[in-house]
Amino acid sequence: MTDSKYWLNVFMFGHEALEVPSGLSEHKKFPFHENYGGECPGVYYIRLQRDGWKLIGHGKDKENGNSIFEKNLPKGWMLRKTAHATITPPPGKGCYFDTHSLHHAERKIDLDFPEWEWADLDGERLVWIHNGVLSTSRMTSNGLGSVNELYDFNPLTFEPIKAPY
């Protein structure tokens, strides 16, 4: 937007501003030239593409739609992210969730990682979250190399902090 305008992704339910800082006003027009519908995909898919993901296509089922994104990795590998949008999510998932897989077209290797909650390329290494643990690995010709745990978020607990911070 600009330094004085903001856009709020409110889809069809709208909102009522309780307080708007002076000098700011809402930009009412949809700010992107791509449109993937309202709610989260309308922003998330644009952000993925901004971050180097290539949109491959969309599923056709309105109740359980999905969109496929791909990103090239080192050693001929490709990371595939399937962004699911469903009104009937599996246990433990919300209406929007991602699944991930690794593919090597030349060697005809497909590796599924449905337990990964998030994954992306960070420089030359692959990083992902699985069961609350942030992990990383470099790609080898056979797939993942040695896996290194970067941080285990599981011991963290919510602590309410009264504003102002």
Side-chain angles (χ1 to χ4, degrees), residues 8-39:
L8 191 61
N9 183 30
V10 294
F11 190 48
M12 67 165 121
F13 301 110
H15 77 287
E16 180 182 332
L18 299 178
E19 183 177 338
V20 176
S22 65
L24 277 182
S25 62
E26 185 176 0
H27 181 79
K28 299 283 187 184
K29 187 178 175 206
F30 187 73
F32 310 112
H33 59 298
E34 303 95 347
N35 187 342
Y36 302 109
E39 296 185 351

Side-chain angles (χ1 to χ4, degrees), residues 47-123:
R47 193 187 85 204
L48 286 173
Q49 292 172 83
R50 178 204 67 192
D51 293 345
W53 290 90
K54 181 180 177 186
L55 176 61
I56 302 303
H58 302 287
K60 305 285 187 230
D61 182 355
K62 285 195 176 274
E63 183 175 315
N64 294 298
N66 60 52
S67 297
I68 312 286
F69 295 87
E70 293 180 346
K71 188 179 269 195
N72 290 328
L73 302 176
K75 309 275 187 196
W77 286 92
M78 183 266 305
L79 175 61
R80 181 171 293 147
K81 179 185 294 282
T82 302
H84 300 268
T86 177
I87 59 172
T88 57
K93 303 286 186 188
C95 61
Y96 301 117
F97 66 96
D98 296 342
T99 54
H100 299 86
S101 54
L102 295 171
H103 303 274
H104 198 292
E106 183 180 306
R107 299 188 64 217
K108 296 181 173 54
I109 301 173
D110 296 311
L111 305 171
D112 289 328
F113 296 93
E115 70 280 3
W116 289 3
E117 298 163 30
W118 169 87
D120 208 337
L121 181 65
D122 177 34

